[in-house]
Amino acid sequence: MGGLDPVVGIADNYRQWAREAHALSPAYESLADAVAADGIVLDFLGVLPPVKRQPNLLFAAARYLVGSPAAIDDLRALVSERPAELSRVMLARRTQTNEPARCATLLPALAQLPEPLALIEVGASAGLTLLFDRYSYDYDGQHVAGTDGDAPTLRCGVRGRVPVPARVPAIVWRAGLDLNPLDVTSEEDMRWLSCLVWQGEGDREERLAAAIATARRDPPPVHRGDLRTDLPALAATAPAEATLVIYHSAVLAYLSPEDRGRFASTVSELGCVWLANEAPGVVGSVPEPDGYHGPGPFVLTRDGREALAITEGHGGWLQWL
Ligand SMILES: C[S@@+](CC[C@H](N)C(=O)[O-])C[C@H]1O[C@@H](n2cnc3c(N)ncnc32)[C@H](O)[C@@H]1O
């Protein structure tokens, strides 16, 4: 009986999520444990569609409404006094974190390709991970200068013989594709993006704010569409004289294994370079590298076959294989 009770299942999910949050955000670890023990908050979650019950979404929505990271008392107050507002935000919004530091973990692979480059990022969110050439980089003291002197410097730890480039590659064209693009010029969209950062996650908020300011100086185009159906039409608009690179981070896990397989076929028919930065096993044809101890890091693969690197999920370090 207990296993069929959605509230029991939600409590279990929050407890499990708390263990995963431990290293990144002790505050969110405690909050998820507190939710797992709180009948009022669990009852509220139980009436939402299953995909809308995640801790990430609840905590970001609460922060969005309260104006600062929520404590368990704030969550209880919200579900008791403002339940309609809280569910409206949770139903309307999605967890679509856009982490600019992931550019540091993809840049060495990009910089090995024939220039100039044309980029398509699928699952681009606000497009902050389309701006490789504008950011500067610091790979454990090896510096790469970007084209925008006011853009943030992305710091990335180096493990193994990472081919750190001498300069950023020439990018002549870029486009993002997302089911729900976030608009960098919209205060509300960018406030939502900021609310998705977990409480106490070091310098992520500051980096995000600096990347948003960079994007606002010349917003990258992010088109509304589904990577399962709309990629060939977008790819057809890329300049033929440039190397077309289709890439993604933390996106294909949202697709079924069948859809991932179809996406791989589509990409191979487009005659492009395909870079995937995903959790191990998501790009199915690439085995989990030896020595990998998940969860957390991603695997950076080229063309669905070659594992190039293990990358920290938020771009903090890069281990070349
Ligand atoms: C976790 S975010 C990652 C954003 C960005 N790639 C990054 O690394 O910071 C995943 C994004 O994928 C998008 N997405 C998920 N499924 C998609 C699909 N079928 N087509 C297009 N975008 C999709 C979501 O809307 C979301 O913006």
Side-chain angles (χ1 to χ4, degrees):
M1 281 275 291
L4 297 176
D5 181 340
V7 165
V8 173
I10 298 167
D12 285 345
N13 283 343
Y14 272 70
R15 265 189 287 276
Q16 190 186 333
W17 192 89
R19 305 289 78 75
E20 290 166 14
H22 169 76
L24 290 175
S25 173
Y28 271 10
E29 177 191 19
S30 308
L31 188 57
D33 275 331
V35 169
D38 192 299
I40 298 174
V41 181
L42 290 174
D43 283 343
F44 166 84
L45 292 168
V47 299
L48 294 176
V51 292
K52 292 289 182 180
R53 296 171 183 165
Q54 315 106 288
N56 248 355
L57 185 63
L58 173 67
F59 298 168
R63 183 173 180 175
Y64 189 76
L65 292 173
V66 171
S68 58
I72 189 65
D73 289 345
D74 298 312
L75 292 181
R76 275 199 209 108
L78 282 172
V79 303
S80 311
E81 294 158 22
R82 302 165 69 186
E85 253 182 295
L86 182 59
S87 26
R88 184 182 51 74
V89 175
M90 291 180 74
L91 292 172
R93 293 287 183 181
R94 301 159 189 241
T95 54
Q96 47 182 146
T97 304
N98 196 189
E99 176 47 72
R102 288 182 181 137
C103 285
T105 52
L106 272 77
L107 181 76
L110 270 190
Q112 292 182 327
L113 303 173
E115 297 177 53
L117 305 179
L119 305 180
I120 293 181
E121 182 180 16
V122 295
S125 185
L128 303 180
T129 29
L130 277 161
L131 308 179
F132 291 93
D133 47 347
R134 295 199 212 156
Y135 303 129
S136 291
Y137 301 85
D138 178 349
Y139 292 97
D140 280 346
Q142 298 181 74
H143 294 272
V144 185
T147 58
D148 181 342
D150 293 325
T153 295
L154 306 177
R155 290 173 217 294
C156 182
V158 166
R159 302 180 180 185
R161 296 166 63 88
V162 175
V164 174
R167 58 175 179 77
V168 291
I171 298 170
V172 290
W173 185 89
R174 71 194 87 211
L177 184 65
D178 202 286
L179 281 180
N180 183 52
L182 292 178
D183 176 358
V184 291
T185 67
S186 153
E187 286 304 324
E188 285 309 289
D189 276 6
M190 293 306 98
R191 198 160 75 76
W192 174 249
L193 202 50
S194 307
C195 288
L196 285 167
V197 175
W198 296 5
Q199 188 180 355
E201 272 196 290
D203 54 4
R204 279 190 77 196
E205 279 184 52
E206 200 183 306
R207 186 166 63 229
L208 180 63
I212 291 169
T214 304
R216 282 179 168 170
R217 287 191 277 281
D218 184 6
V222 181
H223 304 275
R224 186 175 297 275
D226 192 324
L227 66 87
R228 292 169 296 185
T229 49
D230 300 323
L231 185 55
L234 182 58
T237 65
E241 66 280 7
T243 302
L244 177 61
V245 187
I246 292 175
Y247 68 98
H248 48 85
S249 282
V251 173
L252 284 208
Y254 292 92
L255 265 54
S256 68
E258 295 73 25
D259 280 341
R260 286 180 214 154
R262 280 190 279 271
F263 175 76
S265 307
T266 303
V267 168
S268 71
E269 284 162 17
L270 289 173
C272 60
V273 174
W274 171 29
L275 295 176
N277 187 40
E278 298 285 346
V282 170
V283 176
S285 51
V286 177
E288 198 167 282
D290 290 343
Y292 170 76
H293 303 290
F298 290 162
V299 188
L300 177 62
T301 57
R302 179 176 169 167
D303 299 332
R305 290 186 299 273
E306 189 187 351
L308 300 176
I310 302 178
T311 69
E312 195 276 321
H314 287 146
W317 53 260
L318 170 65
Q319 179 183 342
W320 208 254
L321 295 171

